[in-house]
Amino acid sequence: MVLHVLYLIGIAAFAASGVLAAHEAKMDPFGGLVLALAASISGGTLRDVLLDRRPLYWTQDWVLLAVIATVAVLTSLYLRRRRLPHRVLLTVDAVGLSVVTVIGAKAALDSGVTPPAVIILAVMTGVTGEIVRDLLCGSTPPLLLREDFYATAATVGALCYLAMDALGVPSTPTTVTSAGLVFALRMLAIRYGFRLPLLRTPEAGRV
C-alpha cells in the first residue's frame, strides 16, 4: 500500500511537470493533458515492454489514470491564475524522477533480471517520461541532455536500491531512502550547478 501511494505521488509529479512544460510551450489544455500522460506513463510502459510484462500496468489501474487526469486539470486551472517560476518545473520533475526510478528498480528486481539490467531499467523508467515530454513540447535538447546530473542521480538511486535490497533491508525503507537520495542529488545539482567533468581534447603539441 505504501509503495503504491509513493508511486501515485511520482506519477502525479510527472503529470504536473507535463502540464507545466506545456504551459511554458504555450500549448492549450488538451496539449497539457497529452504531455501529462506522456510524462507519467512512458517510462513504466517502456520498462514493461522490455520485461515482457502483460498487461501494461496502467491499463489495469484506473486510480492511476484518474490521478493523472485530476492533477493535469488542477494544474491547468492553477496556471490560468498564477505564473510559476521555472524552478518549480525542475523541482516537480525531480520528485517524479526520484520515485519512478526506484519503483522501476523494484519492478526489475521482481522480474529476476541481472543487477546491471536492474540499474539500466530503473534509469530508463525514470528518464523516459521527461525525454518524451520535452520532445513533444519542442524543448530540444531534452532536459536529460541539458542537465548531465539527471540520469546520474537516477543511477545512484538505483545502485542504492540494489545495495539495500542485497543487504536484506525491507522494501519500503529501501524505496523511501533511495528515492530521497535521487531527489537530494537532483536538487543539489539544480541549486549548485553540479556537472560531470567534460571530456577534453589534448592540447596541441601534447599527447
Side-chain angles (χ1 to χ4, degrees):
M1 180 63 181
V2 174
L3 294 179
H4 188 62
V5 170
L6 285 174
Y7 195 43
L8 291 178
I9 291 173
I11 290 297
F14 267 150
S17 79
V19 176
L20 290 169
H23 181 72
E24 289 193 353
K26 303 187 185 308
M27 291 184 175
D28 61 21
F30 182 76
L33 179 59
V34 170
L35 288 189
L37 284 167
S40 301
I41 67 175
S42 295
T45 298
L46 177 61
R47 176 200 66 220
D48 283 359
V49 169
L50 292 175
L51 291 174
D52 196 25
R53 296 175 62 178
R54 297 291 189 276
L56 296 177
Y57 73 103
W58 54 267
T59 63
Q60 304 296 307
D61 192 346
W62 67 267
V63 174
L64 184 148
L65 294 178
V67 167
I68 294 172
T70 301
V71 170
V73 171
L74 292 177
T75 305
S76 296
L77 291 174
Y78 183 86
L79 291 173
R80 292 178 64 88
R81 297 178 177 273
R82 294 179 179 272
R83 181 180 180 86
L84 295 178
H86 179 67
R87 182 160 293 191
V88 172
L89 171 59
L90 298 177
T91 302
V92 171
D93 185 82
V95 174
L97 175 69
S98 61
V99 176
V100 173
T101 294
V102 296
I103 295 296
K106 182 181 186 305
L109 271 174
D110 290 345
S111 296
V113 301
T114 64
V118 170
I119 296 170
I120 293 170
L121 287 166
V123 174
M124 290 177 66
T125 304
V127 306
T128 299
E130 172 273 327
I131 295 174
V132 173
R133 179 199 71 204
D134 284 1
L135 290 177
L136 287 176
C137 72
S139 179
T140 55
L143 181 62
L144 172 65
L145 301 180
R146 286 180 278 128
E147 300 281 346
D148 54 15
F149 216 82
Y150 192 87
T152 303
T155 303
V156 173
L159 285 168
C160 177
Y161 191 98
L162 200 59
M164 293 181 71
D165 179 78
L167 292 172
V169 180
S171 180
T172 298
T174 295
T175 300
V176 172
T177 301
S178 302
L181 178 60
V182 176
F183 181 75
L185 288 174
R186 185 71 190 113
M187 295 309 297
L188 286 171
I190 294 170
R191 175 67 178 84
Y192 296 105
F194 291 164
R195 303 188 70 85
L196 296 177
L198 300 176
L199 295 175
R200 296 186 180 278
T201 303
E203 297 178 10
R206 298 179 59 183
V207 178

